[in-house]
Amino acid sequence: NLRDAKRWLNAIKLEYELLKEEVRICDLADIILLKLYFPSIYNIFSTEYKSFLYINNNQYAFWEEGIENGDKYFELLNSKKKNFWECSETKNNVNIDKLKNIFARLLPKSTYRLEDKAFNDPFYTPRYFYGTLQSYDIPENDFEEYIKKNHDDLKQIISSEFIEQRNTALLKLWRHCEPSNNDERHNVLKMIFYACSIGENLFCSQDIVYNLVKGFTISKTEVAQTLKNLMLGNGASYYVCLLINEIKKNYYNWDDFMTLEDYKNIQLENFRNAIEEDLPIDTILKFFWSTAK
C-alpha cells in the first residue's frame, strides 16, 4: 500500500545519503526491502552471508547452487556451509516467492559482467550491511580528488602502507575510472605506475592501462612519448617489466602506440636503472631475466 511504499522510499533516501554514489541504488533498495519487511531473515543473512554464499567468477552466489551443478569441491566442503533456503527463517516463510525475487535481483546468475559497485561483488557487499565504507576502501569522492592533485602531492598520500591496505579498492577504481579530460587521464596513469612500482602486491593489468591510454585525444606520437615517460618515470620498476611482458602477449592492442622494439628498449632502460640505483643483486637479476625474455 502507499504507506508501505512511503516508508520504503524514506528508508532508501536516508541510507543513500550515507552511501551516495558508493552503491547501486537498486541493490540498496532491495536490501532495505529485506530489512523492513523480512527483519528476521535480514538479520540472519546480514550476519552470516559468508556462510550462505561462495565466490564464483568474482561474484557471490548461493552455496547450494554449486552442489546442484555437481561440483565435487562443493560436496567436499558442504558441511562448512549453510543452505539459506533450508533455514527455519526462510523455509517456512509464507512470502517465499517474494524473497526469491529479491535475491534473484541481488544475486543474478548471469556471469557476463559485474555491475559497478553491485551487491554481489564481494568487495562491495559489506557497504550494504554496515551503511559505511570499510577501512580498506576508498570513497569515490576521495579518488576524484586524488586524480586532480599534482604528482608530488599524490605521493604523500599513496604510501606503501596505504597501498597494502587498499590495493583491491585501487584496482576497482582504476577499472571503472572514466576521466573527463586528458590531464585527469594522465594523472590516473601516473597514479597507477607509481602505486604499482612501490606496492609489492599490487599489479594493474594491461587491459586496465590500455583502456585508459586509448582514451587520449592526442596524436599517436604524443601517446607513445607519454607511455615511455610513465614507464620510466619512477626509476627502476619491476611492475613495468611485468606489464610489458603482458603487453607483448596482447600486442595486437598496443601496436598503434609503439613497436615491440620500443618496448624492449624501455625494458632495457629499466634494467639499467636497477643497476644505477644499486638495488640488491637478487632484485637486479629479476630485472635482467625480464629483459632477457
Side-chain angles (χ1 to χ4, degrees):
N1 58 44
L2 287 176
R3 185 179 177 183
D4 285 340
K6 187 174 181 181
R7 183 184 172 207
W8 181 44
L9 289 169
N10 285 338
I12 293 171
K13 183 179 178 182
L14 184 66
E15 293 276 345
Y16 193 63
E17 283 299 315
L18 299 172
L19 291 165
K20 197 169 185 179
E21 298 182 11
E22 303 293 352
V23 292
R24 290 184 77 221
I25 195 167
C26 50
D27 286 355
L28 183 67
D30 270 325
I31 287 294
I32 291 170
L33 195 65
L34 197 66
K35 191 175 184 178
L36 289 178
Y37 299 109
F38 304 96
S40 62
I41 292 171
Y42 171 83
N43 287 338
I44 187 173
F45 187 72
S46 63
T47 55
E48 299 184 48
Y49 68 92
K50 289 184 179 179
S51 296
F52 299 125
L53 306 176
Y54 77 102
I55 299 173
N56 180 32
N57 291 324
N58 298 316
Q59 56 188 289
Y60 270 139
F62 278 119
W63 183 257
E64 59 271 15
E65 291 173 6
I67 300 170
E68 290 172 3
N69 293 334
D71 194 318
K72 297 294 183 184
Y73 168 76
F74 294 97
E75 292 178 12
L76 180 66
L77 297 180
N78 187 31
S79 60
K80 297 182 180 181
K81 292 287 183 176
K82 298 179 182 179
N83 186 327
F84 180 71
W85 302 107
E86 292 297 319
C87 293
S88 57
E89 289 85 352
T90 53
K91 191 174 183 180
N92 303 316
N93 195 291
V94 294
N95 292 308
I96 192 71
D97 289 336
K98 291 182 180 179
L99 272 175
K100 287 187 175 181
N101 283 338
I102 291 173
F103 281 104
R105 293 191 295 270
L106 288 171
L107 302 166
K109 293 186 180 181
S110 170
T111 58
Y112 170 63
R113 181 179 179 273
L114 266 174
E115 295 288 344
D116 188 21
K117 299 172 187 171
F119 172 83
N120 64 326
D121 185 327
F123 182 80
Y124 296 114
T125 305
R127 292 182 180 183
Y128 291 86
F129 292 132
Y130 299 121
T132 184
L133 274 64
Q134 307 303 292
S135 60
Y136 52 76
D137 213 335
I138 300 172
E140 188 90 27
N141 289 339
D142 285 4
F143 180 75
E144 289 174 2
E145 288 301 314
Y146 296 163
I147 63 177
K148 293 174 184 174
K149 293 182 180 295
N150 66 53
H151 196 45
D152 288 335
D153 288 342
L154 186 63
K155 285 182 178 181
Q156 300 300 313
I157 299 168
I158 309 294
S159 64
S160 297
E161 184 180 1
F162 180 95
I163 294 167
E164 187 177 346
Q165 294 174 350
R166 297 172 179 85
N167 52 18
T168 304
L170 284 169
L171 289 171
K172 295 277 184 185
L173 288 163
W174 291 336
R175 182 170 291 280
H176 297 289
C177 181
E178 297 180 359
S180 59
N181 55 56
N182 285 335
D183 287 341
E184 284 190 5
R185 192 172 298 278
H186 192 207
N187 285 353
V188 174
L189 285 164
K190 271 189 175 182
M191 182 194 297
I192 289 172
F193 278 92
Y194 176 70
C196 291
S197 293
I198 67 168
E200 290 185 10
N201 300 312
L202 182 61
F203 179 82
C204 184
S205 61
Q206 64 83 28
D207 61 311
I208 296 177
V209 177
Y210 175 75
N211 285 333
L212 287 162
V213 169
K214 73 176 182 179
F216 275 119
T217 54
I218 54 179
S219 70
K220 290 181 180 178
T221 303
E222 290 174 302
V223 172
Q225 188 58 51
T226 298
L227 257 178
K228 183 177 180 180
N229 292 342
L230 287 165
M231 288 180 171
L232 296 173
N234 298 295
S237 169
Y238 192 59
Y239 167 67
V240 171
C241 296
L242 298 175
L243 180 68
I244 289 180
N245 285 334
E246 202 180 60
I247 285 173
K248 289 176 182 176
K249 295 174 185 175
N250 298 273
Y251 185 60
Y252 56 89
N253 283 333
W254 292 87
D255 60 356
D256 275 350
F257 307 127
M258 284 194 279
T259 65
L260 283 173
E261 193 64 30
D262 290 329
Y263 291 118
K264 288 177 183 177
N265 288 335
I266 290 171
Q267 281 184 305
L268 184 60
E269 189 65 30
N270 203 26
F271 173 45
R272 285 199 185 99
N273 287 339
I275 296 169
E276 288 173 6
E277 292 172 23
D278 199 22
L279 298 181
I281 188 65
D282 289 348
T283 304
I284 291 175
L285 282 171
K286 285 170 62 180
F287 282 83
F288 168 73
W289 288 117
S290 177
T291 304
K293 290 177 184 178

